[in-house]
Amino acid sequence: MSIKAGKHLQAIRHPADLKEVAESDLHLVCQDLRQYIVDTVSVYGGHFGASLGVVELTVALHYVLDTPNDQLVWDVGHQAYGHKILTGRRDRFHTNRYYGGISGFPKRKESEYDAFGVGHSSTSISAALGMAVAAELNGEKDRQVVAVIGDGAMTGGMAFEAMNHAGDAAANMIIVLNDNCMSIDPNVGALKDYLTDITTSHTYNKVKDEVWNVLGKLSRFGVNAQEIASKIEGGLKSSLLKHSNLFESLKIRYFGPVDGHDVHHLVKVLNDLKQIPGPKILHCITTKGKGFALAEKDQTLWHAPGKFDKITGEIQKKKYDKPQPPKYQDVFGHTLVELAGMNPDIVGVTPAMPSGCSMNIMMKAMPERAFDVGIAEQHAVTFSAGMATQGKMVFCNIYSTFMQRAYDQVIHDVCLQNLPVVFCLDRAGFAGADGPTHHGAYDIAYMRCIPNMVVAAPMNEQELRNMMFTAQLNKSGAFTIRYPRGEGVMPEWKTPFEAIQVGKGRRLRKGSDLAIIGIGHIGNLGLAAAEALEKEGISAAFYDARFAKPLDAEMLKEVFATFDKIITLEDGCLMGGFGSAVLEFAADHGLNAHVKRLGIPDAVIEHGEQLELYAECGFDKAGIVRAAMELMEMVRL
Ligand SMILES: Cc1ncc(C[n+]2csc(CCOP(=O)(O)OP(=O)(O)O)c2C)c(N)n1
């Protein structure tokens, strides 16, 4: 279905076309751009509210800046749909996030307008500062560098590290703070209150307007006038405000707050800021979901609602005639509350993903025992470690991909001290439409090499529950449980708890020709493939390893003693992953077999449905069957 652009957007294929539009007509372009995003996302899905909230900012930035020469860095990038549409990708926008289509995030190889590849939060100021400093070193005095960062992303440590550096480096850059008071869930922390205080303080805003006027008048007279303006502004601020501004105290000049939906004012302000040297921050107040009433009202739901009816607002849900298995994240959420009811030491920690990982269930049931710490994975891990020293049993839930941020904290603050923290890694394996920035490809490899760490992966809901039950009984060392995005396989999932022996796998199918050893949910495809192989005349056994560390030595010895053909199966990276662990075990114990490892190769796997990506990497059901047949053939030859 082709989406038709409104007449003011139709002529705009690139920012150069936008510059042909009269400034007084820019709001019309905004209207069409917003409508185009609504029309497309309602039909094809994707992130929604964030892009609607920055329509005016996007238009103003591309109107004022000389992109792609000027560098525009979007933080996270889930809000950059307008940017994509204005920078040569309108015709392909309906392929957004689909296999083979454009990416849901800015990506350097996709467009010269995507100055920096993003997906993980809070990187924009660092990247922009790097660009600004390099531009200075290269003598490119006129190049503008702009980072657009949300108030949620601003809670991330990297943003503070970068501002600390930026104020001192004094490089020429603009930070646009897109403040909508929301992360995916309502934003948290003291900074949020601080930003609200600045926004709502009448005294501050009155003084700010006066400063702005003085500055505006002087800015026409060049750099010297800027210096004078700066002194006046500083004087006004310090004498009248009596307290200094957080950003100003980091030597980043603060402007705002401004209405981020007034495109005409934004153009004027950005033009002014371009003239002012050094690091500056423009505080814009916006509404997430702006222009689509339901999205303004329930901003968390409309962060990424999937497909919906743009007239009624009804979000499309697949309809089934029989009960479906739950999402793993919900099994986690409900099970945690159950366990916390039994064990008073249990607490929950999430870095900004309460609805994403279903920690919101515990936050609702036991608000004093569940913590959203902001987009701060490193802090989440060390905060959990601190609580563990005091006898708390922390379930710290972090998406596998975001845990990459907190690797040193896992090693230094948890494992070296042998603290019992449970890490639940959601979205392990392929994240799907979010693509490579979000795939949880590396966790088995990066966790299993750390001492004092158990690495487990459930094949179904019951296993997840039992692993969580087991983990909270375990008082020595860290315990990782990784599970994928989406549904499990058991509609009747609320089974009684049973402890699992740590490091114990299980055989689920007997066979005589070859053995498949899977780890985690992907094992269901392995088991299905083993059954399908029967029709091909191949008798395949299936083992569920459950643990990548410690490995089940007894089980592996049995497998190597019984079979000379073995397939290992994981939805994680092959290098250093579960299959590697099996081969290490075999080498260390002098065991021999033809081993074929299936998993994610040493390559960037793009976005698409999980099943499409399994197929691409050769470990969907058909791929596993093929691999088994090839192994049989190869060994016969
Ligand atoms: C390191 C990291 N942790 C978590 C996320 C998940 N995430 C994506 S967008 C988002 C909220 C961002 O909020 P904000 O920056 O205010 O932007 P808004 O969506 O409000 O426009 C979060 C937590 C992420 N992308 N990166």
Side-chain angles (χ1 to χ4, degrees):
M1 178 176 159
S2 85
I3 308 288
K4 200 165 170 342
K7 78 170 187 223
H8 299 99
L9 182 60
Q10 217 154 58
I12 301 169
R13 306 230 152 247
H14 291 94
D17 305 321
L18 177 66
K19 290 185 195 311
E20 299 295 313
V21 177
E23 202 177 312
S24 54
D25 285 346
L26 285 179
H27 61 287
L28 300 171
V29 176
C30 293
Q31 257 170 34
D32 283 1
L33 183 58
R34 179 165 280 119
Q35 191 58 49
Y36 196 79
I37 293 171
V38 172
D39 291 349
T40 314
V41 176
S42 62
V43 175
Y44 296 101
H47 287 102
F48 187 55
S51 281
L52 291 189
V54 295
V55 162
E56 287 76 16
L57 252 173
T58 308
V59 169
L61 282 164
H62 278 295
Y63 196 68
V64 169
L65 297 176
D66 175 26
T67 55
N69 182 45
D70 288 345
Q71 305 286 293
L72 178 55
V73 182
W74 296 93
D75 207 284
V76 183
H78 63 308
Q79 78 290 57
Y81 288 8
H83 160 83
K84 292 208 169 201
I85 293 164
L86 292 180
T87 54
R89 285 165 277 183
R90 174 151 55 83
D91 292 344
R92 282 179 293 154
F93 192 59
H94 64 282
T95 70
N96 187 34
R97 294 165 55 90
Y98 284 85
Y99 191 59
I102 63 169
S103 162
F105 299 95
K107 195 173 204 166
R108 281 170 63 77
K109 76 172 181 200
E110 189 178 290
S111 165
E112 58 180 340
Y113 291 93
D114 292 357
F116 201 66
V118 281
H120 286 201
S121 156
S122 318
T123 61
S124 62
I125 306 177
S126 298
L129 180 60
M131 292 169 187
V133 168
E136 256 180 28
L137 291 173
N138 293 339
E140 294 158 336
K141 293 268 176 264
D142 294 333
R143 176 170 281 183
Q144 295 289 329
V145 180
V146 178
V148 183
I149 180 165
D151 57 302
M154 197 57 116
T155 61
M158 270 191 85
F160 283 86
E161 293 169 31
M163 285 194 291
N164 184 43
H165 182 189
D168 201 39
N172 209 1
M173 69 185 285
I174 303 174
I175 301 165
V176 175
L177 171 59
N178 170 37
D179 182 3
N180 55 23
C181 291
M182 285 296 287
S183 191
I184 294 178
D185 295 86
N187 202 5
V188 295
L191 180 70
K192 167 197 61 126
D193 297 331
Y194 175 74
L195 293 176
T196 310
D197 280 353
I198 308 186
T199 310
T200 50
S201 155
H202 290 302
T203 331
Y204 186 89
N205 284 305
K206 192 161 170 296
V207 173
K208 179 255 321 174
D209 287 343
E210 282 163 23
V211 171
W212 196 274
N213 284 338
V214 175
L215 196 68
K217 283 190 191 105
L218 290 176
S219 69
R220 285 179 228 120
F221 302 105
V223 176
N224 287 341
Q226 288 303 333
E227 276 169 22
I228 302 166
S230 156
K231 282 189 187 130
I232 296 171
E233 184 197 28
L236 274 172
K237 276 183 178 165
S238 53
S239 60
L240 287 170
L241 294 178
K242 296 255 172 45
H243 64 86
S244 70
N245 172 293
L246 169 71
F247 304 102
E248 294 273 344
S249 47
L250 290 170
K251 296 196 272 182
I252 297 172
R253 296 187 57 201
Y254 172 88
F255 298 92
V258 295
D259 174 0
H261 296 303
D262 182 345
V263 68
H264 306 291
H265 188 55
L266 285 174
V267 166
K268 183 183 165 308
V269 170
L270 286 167
N271 268 322
D272 279 351
L273 289 189
K274 264 172 65 171
Q275 312 301 323
I276 298 172
K280 328 157 255 294
I281 187 160
L282 176 64
H283 185 183
C284 295
I285 307 302
T286 62
T287 304
K288 198 161 173 174
K290 179 76 178 174
F292 194 82
L294 289 170
E296 288 188 30
K297 205 160 150 233
D298 189 344
Q299 296 172 323
T300 301
L301 178 66
W302 291 85
H303 178 82
K307 298 173 192 172
F308 58 93
D309 182 323
K310 68 178 178 186
I311 310 292
T312 64
E314 191 185 332
I315 294 173
Q316 266 185 35
K317 290 227 163 67
K318 284 190 207 143
K319 297 199 173 72
Y320 301 96
D321 29 356
K322 13 181 218 191
Q324 291 299 299
K327 288 182 176 162
Y328 278 106
Q329 68 178 73
D330 290 333
V331 176
F332 162 81
H334 289 293
T335 303
L336 184 59
V337 173
E338 248 177 285
L339 290 173
M342 291 156 46
N343 179 347
D345 283 332
I346 288 181
V347 293
V349 172
T350 170
M353 302 305 280
S355 27
C357 78
S358 296
M359 184 71 80
N360 55 3
I361 301 173
M362 182 167 183
M363 287 167 78
K364 197 157 167 235
M366 305 175 172
E368 68 295 346
R369 285 167 66 187
F371 303 86
D372 174 358
V373 300
I375 308 182
E377 287 77 12
Q378 299 178 322
H379 164 64
V381 170
T382 306
F383 172 64
S384 302
M387 283 204 281
T389 64
Q390 304 303 307
K392 292 293 165 206
M393 173 51 65
V394 189
F395 278 74
C396 178
N397 191 311
I398 303 189
Y399 283 17
S400 165
T401 187
F402 302 142
M403 182 56 111
Q404 291 159 199
R405 277 274 162 97
Y407 194 47
D408 181 54
Q409 284 72 12
V410 172
I411 297 175
H412 180 268
D413 299 335
V414 176
C415 291
L416 294 189
Q417 311 190 58
N418 202 13
L419 290 169
V421 176
V422 183
F423 296 115
C424 291
L425 305 188
D426 197 329
R427 276 37 168 201
F430 286 128
D434 280 337
T437 55
H438 285 58
H439 294 331
Y442 311 109
D443 54 62
I444 297 180
Y446 71 61
M447 285 299 199
R448 80 178 182 88
C449 58
I450 310 174
N452 296 324
M453 173 67 84
V454 168
V455 183
M459 203 172 140
N460 58 37
E461 292 82 341
Q462 180 178 26
E463 288 284 299
L464 173 55
R465 283 169 63 75
N466 288 341
M467 283 175 184
M468 289 175 68
F469 178 71
T470 305
Q472 51 96 43
L473 296 175
N474 172 62
K475 297 274 186 296
S476 66
F479 201 118
T480 292
I481 306 173
R482 54 132 29 211
Y483 50 88
R485 178 194 185 118
E487 288 81 19
V489 292
M490 294 176 65
E492 296 299 322
W493 59 274
K494 227 172 170 192
T495 50
F497 291 123
E498 246 176 77
I500 296 175
Q501 194 185 329
V502 172
K504 200 79 207 122
R506 51 187 190 152
R507 185 180 66 193
L508 294 182
R509 189 177 201 279
K510 285 187 181 168
S512 52
D513 291 326
L514 61 84
I516 301 172
I517 317 173
I519 178 122
H521 174 82
I522 196 73
N524 293 294
L525 293 187
L527 185 56
E531 272 149 21
L533 280 164
E534 206 65 61
K535 284 199 213 94
E536 309 293 334
I538 298 171
S539 167
F542 180 82
Y543 293 81
D544 171 23
R546 281 183 173 146
F547 294 89
K549 185 188 180 184
L551 289 171
D552 185 341
E554 204 186 327
M555 185 184 92
L556 284 181
K557 282 182 185 157
E558 177 199 307
V559 173
F560 275 85
T562 318
F563 300 94
D564 63 354
K565 295 174 272 301
I566 298 168
I567 291 176
T568 62
L569 173 63
E570 62 199 301
D571 59 347
C573 63
L574 284 170
M575 293 177 89
F578 169 68
S580 291
V582 171
L583 286 179
E584 286 163 19
F585 180 88
D588 291 348
H589 293 83
L591 306 172
N592 279 307
H594 295 271
V595 178
K596 169 77 187 160
R597 290 175 304 136
L598 294 180
I600 303 178
D602 180 21
V604 176
I605 307 299
E606 302 292 352
H607 55 281
E609 296 284 325
Q610 282 160 318
L611 279 176
E612 290 169 326
L613 303 180
Y614 296 157
E616 179 179 324
C617 297
F619 60 87
D620 60 335
K621 185 175 142 193
I624 303 167
V625 167
R626 216 169 38 242
M629 291 172 69
E630 277 165 18
L631 194 58
M632 294 295 290
E633 197 54 36
M634 194 177 86
V635 177
R636 243 178 247 142
L637 288 177

